[in-house]
Amino acid sequence: MPNLHGCSKEGMSSSIFFSLGALYQLHLVKAETARAFIPKDFRLVEAFGYTLGGFFLAHYDDSPAGMFDELVVIAGIVWNPPTSCAWAARVLVNNHEACIHGRKDIGLPSQVAGFSKSIMELSERPRSKGNGFLDRIGIGAGFSSPKDRMKIQVTEIKDSAATDFCNINLPTLQDPKSGDKWMGPAVKMSLPSFSGQTEYNPQLLKYSCQIECRVRAVEPAQVSKAAPAQRRDEKSAVSQNSSSVDAMIGDNDDARDRSISVLLSKPVLALEFNFLKMQVEAPTVVSCSSSRKNSRGGF
């Protein structure tokens, strides 16, 4: 789920984020992969050995932390009667303030990262065939395959070095302001999530994102794994003064590899959010007894 970076502490006002375009992609994630991230107090929502995870990719044009890019890796869904909540496995942002705040105050597994973007021109491809289900709910008409694609290389940054995390290849998004494409219906939704139980915030927290946007189905992004253990010098502005963040977050290769496994799992649906306004409520503490009660539910 979209995260709480830059949000106020519990008991204070919520924060508002704006983005012209974001991608929310759902994947079938192996339950055994997701369980490595989920607290034992919770029951994973699963069927036939899989849960629903994926990632949220966004560039925020305006937020309490300013402009920044973000990749949220979603491990899976946990039961929280009468609904369910997402659990983030890893959060990568190219903003130091957002990273520190997310870890200390919101309990997110945040990491400082770099986002390198480039456009690849491909030969013209035919429009994707309609999806019966998407057509019936009114968003199938927006499912298309543009000829140009954007490649985003995401790297985790530690001190002056960067370790390649993943590459994301996705259709380029036209400027929503141009009015040249069908933007999809306007929707309002609430996306609840859990966080916390980390080294720097041991409390179990719950928060929700109130979203207003135009949404349409798009071709899923292609995610590939970066070269193993590849490290390089990172001289960009995002790596400057990163030692204070690195001293807090340390390095966890196992968690990083499991997060990449989530990204490499099978995509089932990709949704493009345009003119996104996201209000993130301040988190509340969830008691252990309450979480155990909630965990008695099933899929």
Side-chain angles (χ1 to χ4, degrees):
M1 287 325 343
N3 75 34
L4 264 183
H5 285 115
C7 179
S8 303
K9 294 183 179 181
E10 180 182 358
M12 299 180 69
S13 61
S14 58
S15 295
I16 297 178
F17 299 74
F18 292 96
S19 174
L20 289 180
L23 180 69
Y24 187 21
Q25 186 157 306
L26 301 175
H27 288 206
L28 287 177
V29 180
K30 289 184 177 180
E32 59 183 308
T33 300
R35 284 196 193 97
F37 299 101
I38 306 300
K40 293 184 294 183
D41 288 333
F42 288 104
R43 181 185 295 276
L44 185 69
V45 178
E46 61 177 296
F48 306 107
Y50 289 87
T51 186
L52 199 59
F55 68 87
F56 180 80
L57 176 68
H59 170 79
Y60 296 107
D61 302 278
D62 187 23
S63 81
M67 294 178 60
F68 67 94
D69 295 298
E70 171 188 65
L71 173 64
V72 181
V73 182
I74 305 166
I77 305 297
V78 296
W79 184 243
N80 180 48
T83 180
S84 56
C85 287
W87 189 275
R90 209 169 189 84
V91 180
L92 299 118
V93 291
N94 57 354
N95 182 302
H96 290 87
E97 178 184 355
C99 181
I100 295 174
H101 190 106
R103 274 197 161 256
K104 291 182 62 178
D105 301 318
I106 313 304
L108 292 169
S110 305
Q111 310 284 343
V112 175
F115 290 74
S116 177
K117 305 172 185 178
S118 59
I119 301 295
M120 301 182 297
E121 293 186 2
L122 303 178
S123 59
E124 187 73 42
R125 293 182 295 168
R127 184 181 181 86
S128 298
K129 294 182 180 180
N131 182 303
F133 172 73
L134 297 179
D135 290 337
R136 285 195 295 272
I137 63 176
I139 61 176
F143 196 96
S144 60
S145 300
K147 64 179 181 178
D148 293 340
R149 301 185 70 89
M150 175 180 287
K151 179 181 179 181
I152 302 178
Q153 183 179 18
V154 184
T155 58
E156 286 192 6
I157 297 172
K158 181 178 176 64
D159 297 324
S160 60
T163 302
D164 290 336
F165 185 77
C166 71
N167 298 316
I168 302 176
N169 187 338
L170 71 162
T172 55
L173 306 181
Q174 299 179 14
D175 186 352
K177 295 179 179 179
S178 66
D180 293 336
K181 66 175 183 176
W182 185 75
M183 303 298 296
V187 299
K188 294 182 180 181
M189 65 183 81
S190 177
L191 301 176
S193 297
F194 283 114
S195 63
Q197 293 202 347
T198 66
E199 180 181 358
Y200 299 98
N201 196 324
Q203 293 179 312
L204 181 61
L205 306 175
K206 182 180 180 181
Y207 64 94
S208 64
C209 301
Q210 309 301 323
I211 288 178
E212 298 180 23
C213 65
R214 304 294 295 270
V215 62
R216 68 171 193 149
V218 294
E219 179 184 359
Q222 301 171 1
V223 184
S224 59
K225 186 176 181 179
Q230 182 175 349
R231 299 184 68 88
R232 57 188 173 81
D233 291 337
E234 178 62 56
K235 301 301 183 181
S236 65
V238 73
S239 67
Q240 297 176 3
N241 301 319
S242 62
S243 58
S244 60
V245 174
D246 297 325
M248 293 171 52
I249 66 177
D251 191 10
N252 191 324
D253 292 338
D254 290 340
R256 180 170 61 241
D257 291 343
R258 289 194 300 268
S259 298
I260 294 173
S261 296
V262 172
L263 294 175
L264 297 178
S265 57
K266 181 178 178 59
V268 293
L269 178 65
L271 298 175
E272 177 187 317
F273 294 167
N274 290 295
F275 299 115
L276 171 67
K277 176 183 178 181
M278 181 171 66
Q279 181 171 333
V280 185
E281 306 297 339
T284 58
V285 176
V286 179
S287 67
C288 293
S289 58
S290 174
S291 63
R292 292 192 184 99
K293 179 180 178 181
N294 289 340
S295 71
R296 290 200 294 267
F299 182 60

